[in-house]
Amino acid sequence: MTNPFLEPSSLPYALPPFAEITDGDWLPAFEAGLQQQRAELEAIATDPAEPTFANVLEALERSGRILARVEHAFFDKASSDSNDVTDALELELAPRLAEHADAIRLDPRLWRRLDALHARRDQLDLTAEQRYLLERTVADFVRAGAALGDDDKEALRQLNQELSTLTTRFEKALLADTNDLAVVVRDPAELRGLTEGQLGAAAEAARERGLEDAWVVSLVLPTGHPLLASLDDPALRERVMAASRSRGRRGGEHDTRALVLEIARLRARRAVLLGFPDHASWVTAGETAGSPAAVADLLGRLAAPAARNAAAELVDLRRLAASEAGSDGGGEVRASDWAWWAEKVRAERFDVDTAVMRDYFEADRVLHDGVFHAASRLYGLEFAERRDLVGPHPEARVFEVTENGGAPVGLYVLDLYTRDSKRGGAWMNPLVSQSDLLGLPPVVVNNLNVSKPAAGSPTLLTLDEVTTLFHEFGHALHGLLARVTYPSFSGTNVFRDFVEFPSQVNEMWMLWPEVLENYAVHHVTGERMPRELVEKLVASRTYGEGFATSEYLASALLDQAWHRLSPDQADRVDDVEAFEQEALAAVGLDLAQVPPRYSSTYFAHTFAGGYDAGYYSYIWSEVLDADAVEWFEENGGLSREAGDRFRARLLGVGGSKDPLEAYRDFRGRDARVEPLLERRGLA
Ligand SMILES: [Zn+2]
């Protein structure tokens, strides 16, 4: 048997041949892929011919085909249906792939050719996309250290390695402390307020730990535990909150404070080595934000009104707590009580019964008559299930996407259900990145974590799950509607602080009257969702924005504060809690009842990495989202004309031009922040 990744897939749309792939194929395919790309790069770097766009940039874009095929398939498998083999491989591959990336970008011969080409950029007669590819590639190489001298490159490699070790240690210590701090409950009376399902999960968590006659509340990453909204016992709520907030700051082997300080110091030193004053400057230079000052501008503008709104919400919660004389808590509202009282206010004020709503959200109906329907009205897309094609998991469904009565667009794979071998959350991955250069159409997959119903019962989605499906499908559209030449620019290959924008926009169609009416149909009676329920739903969705915005902003500002330190300043910080307190007080977000969504000692986004100096991205792209929603509302809403403009000027161009220029091209002007302020009640 030959390895299924060595040759291009012969399946429709080059879908990876999932039916043939075995666990034994991954590592040999990665080895072959790394070797192939190393040989290709060697040929590019040592080419005796004068550097041209074709023999440098296009050759780079064409390189690494085996690696691209196996990476896409493997990382989908490892996240959606992992096993011991993929777990071990992920650990083994992470440093090797990082080293491979460094080997490309720190190769002095490659850099000389790229730099020479860049110097002649005005004489090369390049298309706009080619010119942008040249600029972006040079910028990426420079940001990665390509232009440094040999000694500095060596120091950089050293720092990269130390940082990769420290961030991995942070991740492991946090995971261990999170597990150690799970809250064990012996008296079932303390668990009053939980549903049967929640109790069952807590009992199961105890069994998994080998505990008899006990229940376990396992901690989740954010400060606020989801069960705090339903636990009636204030003492248990306080225990859960205290455990959550003490992660990484209890002393002992899982304490992360020393790691936080060391990571901040090394990142500051690396930034200076790369020619930037601090880590945040280095990170944002490679994003649409451009500078930490621009980030500070936006966050600073939102902080005071968000804190004010949270304070107003607290007044409401206290009033209700005081009026329920004799109730647990006696009128006091601590951080641990917030969610519980907020739930009461929500129920009282909006009378929303989310359980009733699920009867109107049957999954297949939401998918076909909601998500697909909106895409067909906007972009003229048609969807047909291809039961003959095998997805990455037996439960994954494959849909062929066409337009204009059958012209091929790509494949959409949906893997809806949760399983033990799937990581939490929801996400989109490309399985094949669209590229005209390589003649590849797009294949994308959405993964969600919806509970599987009992056999014979329909899958009914919660309101959050419907939102998530529309959101993830927005990412899928970004991949499916890509129309670029170079694979580096395809679909969601855009800046981190831009990538959430198209998916956030797609959420708007979920409650759009013509769409909602079309899919929200009772799964037994066939009746449409009553108008009154829809109105309550819309009204209740904006309740609690003061709290949500404040806890998010607190973390985003902390993430910036740690990464705006110069090396000298970073060396002088020796107390994590004091630094945090000072940073939050400086922006008025040191609210006792509203702790940051993540505190430094368990802020995995920033200290395990991935969103370091980038946690601001979510609200940054929401500015564009809210502004684009306003445009749709003013320009015909759900129509082909509006959809086609968004597709041609924004979704289709992917990363092939400056995203803010693409936005201007779509919107006719820069985004305004006012629609976001209004949406979040901050105006
Ligand atoms: Zn997203």
Side-chain angles (χ1 to χ4, degrees), residues 471-472 475 500 503:
H471 176 97
E472 295 308 327
H475 288 304
E500 289 302 320
S503 52

Side-chain angles (χ1 to χ4, degrees), residues 426-428 471-472 475 499-500 503-504 507 618:
W427 62 97
M428 171 273 197
H471 176 97
E472 295 308 327
H475 288 304
V499 73
E500 289 302 320
S503 52
Q504 288 169 341
E507 288 179 35
Y618 295 95

Side-chain angles (χ1 to χ4, degrees), residues 260-340:
V260 164
L261 295 174
E262 192 58 14
I263 290 169
R265 285 175 194 141
L266 293 188
R267 281 179 178 161
R269 279 172 48 200
R270 181 175 61 181
V272 168
L273 185 64
L274 288 163
F276 292 86
D278 51 52
H279 185 67
S281 299
W282 177 66
V283 168
T284 49
E287 300 288 339
T288 70
S291 72
V295 174
D297 248 18
L298 177 67
L299 299 185
R301 183 164 184 180
L302 307 177
R308 215 164 36 233
N309 289 356
E313 286 167 21
L314 180 59
V315 171
D316 271 355
L317 304 187
R318 278 186 173 142
R319 193 176 296 140
L320 187 62
S323 76
E324 295 208 352
S327 77
D328 295 337
E332 195 194 348
V333 177
R334 299 163 298 181
S336 56
D337 305 319
W338 189 295
W340 194 82

Side-chain angles (χ1 to χ4, degrees), residues 313-389:
E313 286 167 21
L314 180 59
V315 171
D316 271 355
L317 304 187
R318 278 186 173 142
R319 193 176 296 140
L320 187 62
S323 76
E324 295 208 352
S327 77
D328 295 337
E332 195 194 348
V333 177
R334 299 163 298 181
S336 56
D337 305 319
W338 189 295
W340 194 82
W341 287 107
E343 199 54 34
K344 291 232 149 186
V345 170
R346 190 177 282 122
E348 196 164 276
R349 193 170 300 171
F350 304 104
D351 185 29
V352 174
D353 184 348
T354 45
V356 170
M357 228 167 272
R358 288 186 67 193
D359 287 334
Y360 296 89
F361 297 149
E362 193 273 308
D364 234 37
R365 187 112 208 192
V366 174
L367 180 67
H368 283 278
D369 299 343
V371 173
F372 289 169
H373 175 72
S376 115
R377 293 282 304 275
L378 286 162
Y379 311 113
L381 300 178
E382 294 134 27
F383 300 83
E385 187 155 6
R386 289 283 303 258
R387 291 177 203 276
D388 58 316
L389 295 177

Side-chain angles (χ1 to χ4, degrees), residues 180-197:
D180 286 357
L181 279 161
V183 176
V184 180
V185 178
R186 298 283 176 184
D187 178 1
E190 291 179 33
L191 293 164
R192 60 190 184 276
L194 298 191
T195 64
E196 287 294 314

Side-chain angles (χ1 to χ4, degrees), residues 167 170-171 174 178 221-223 244 247-249 256 260 263 267 551-563 580 584 596-616 618:
T167 50
F170 180 93
E171 199 170 7
L174 173 56
T178 301
L221 213 44
T223 302
S244 182
R247 281 174 293 171
R249 54 183 74 183
T256 57
V260 164
I263 290 169
R267 281 179 178 161
E551 67 154 9
Y552 165 77
L553 286 176
S555 288
L557 283 152
L558 275 182
D559 171 45
Q560 289 294 306
W562 280 113
H563 295 122
E580 243 182 28
L584 292 176
R597 189 168 163 76
Y598 306 98
S599 285
S600 308
T601 55
Y602 52 91
F603 201 169
H605 286 82
T606 187
F607 291 108
Y611 275 82
D612 40 296
Y615 193 62
Y616 75 90
Y618 295 95

